[in-house]
Amino acid sequence: MEPAGRPARYHDVSTTPPVLAAELAQAWADIQRHHPELPDLAAPESLIGESSSACGAELSFERLLHEAVHGIAAARGVRDTSRAGRYHNRRFLAIAEEMGLDHVDEPHPSSGFSLVALNPEAKRRYRPTIERLQRALKAHTVATASDTKRTFRGPAARHGSSGGGVRVKAVCDCGRNVRVVPSVLAQAPIVCGGCGKPFRIPEAVGAAS
């Protein structure tokens, strides 16, 4: 169920990486609806193709929620990791539990409470988001596998960036802003979790880029 007054914004899933970035941004906005203190995700496309043994190597909604725990910790000024970000401490675990993530085992010697998993309530709460993101991830996997078989396009082309992936400021009606690659917004809207309106690049900035 979505809270009243903030209707969900859905758009078609494409096989292109820029649209996967938009789907990640939409999923992040869904998390923000339940946790308004969560800061905006400035560069969702940076998660594509990125692996992290400390946060879970596979890109999924579970990993996105894990990253959101770090976002909440940063907003609260809580130091939730140590050892160069590898060890996830009990402060991380406390916030993770608030957000629907559990860690049933003893802490890992090197990563602590990093490998958290969605609890049943969170799975129900985010089921539409999880299903939508899974479709986007599957389409992305198929598309990138096909690209590899056809030809080598280079990392910039595969990730749909232009101008070296330069990010510009996009704003929404409530005044929040994020830094994005313009091609991301060209493919699909990125919706603000605060006001429910899409982010847009101001005309002066868009013309300069």
Side-chain angles (χ1 to χ4, degrees):
M1 291 287 293
E2 298 292 344
R6 288 188 182 176
R9 305 284 186 92
Y10 299 105
H11 48 80
D12 293 336
V13 173
S14 169
T15 59
T16 60
V19 176
L20 175 56
E23 291 289 347
L24 289 166
Q26 176 65 65
W28 191 267
D30 291 347
I31 299 170
Q32 286 179 312
R33 290 189 181 96
H34 297 280
H35 303 277
E37 66 182 309
L38 177 64
D40 292 335
L41 182 61
E45 66 274 14
S46 68
L47 293 173
I48 302 173
E50 177 186 298
S51 63
S52 170
S53 59
C55 299
E58 183 179 353
L59 183 55
S60 63
F61 179 77
E62 196 167 79
R63 171 157 171 225
L64 194 67
L65 195 58
H66 177 128
E67 299 289 353
V69 174
H70 291 306
I72 292 286
R76 295 178 181 176
V78 172
R79 186 178 180 184
D80 61 342
T81 64
S82 58
R83 303 177 194 173
R86 292 188 301 274
Y87 191 88
H88 293 56
N89 58 35
R90 290 189 181 276
R91 290 185 288 274
F92 169 85
L93 180 60
I95 299 173
E97 289 174 343
E98 287 181 35
M99 300 182 71
L101 292 165
D102 289 337
H103 189 283
V104 296
D105 300 321
E106 290 297 312
H108 189 275
S110 61
S111 62
F113 296 98
S114 170
L115 299 180
V116 285
L118 283 165
N119 65 29
E121 181 182 352
K123 287 179 180 178
R124 288 192 296 271
R125 179 188 307 151
Y126 292 111
R127 183 174 63 182
T129 304
I130 293 169
E131 291 175 351
R132 195 174 66 246
L133 185 57
Q134 284 178 336
R135 289 195 298 271
L137 288 165
K138 183 177 179 181
H140 169 71
T141 299
V142 171
T144 52
S146 299
D147 286 345
T148 301
K149 291 176 182 178
R150 287 198 302 267
T151 180
F152 175 75
R153 300 168 61 201
R158 287 200 305 274
H159 288 260
S161 61
S162 61
V166 176
R167 299 185 181 94
V168 299
K169 183 170 75 172
V171 300
C172 69
D173 287 351
C174 68
R176 304 171 89 186
N177 65 80
V178 295
R179 306 288 298 186
V180 297
V181 175
S183 61
V184 173
L185 289 182
Q187 291 289 332
I190 296 177
V191 180
C192 174
C195 66
K197 300 291 182 64
F199 285 97
R200 56 185 175 77
I201 299 173
E203 291 182 9
V205 176
S209 61

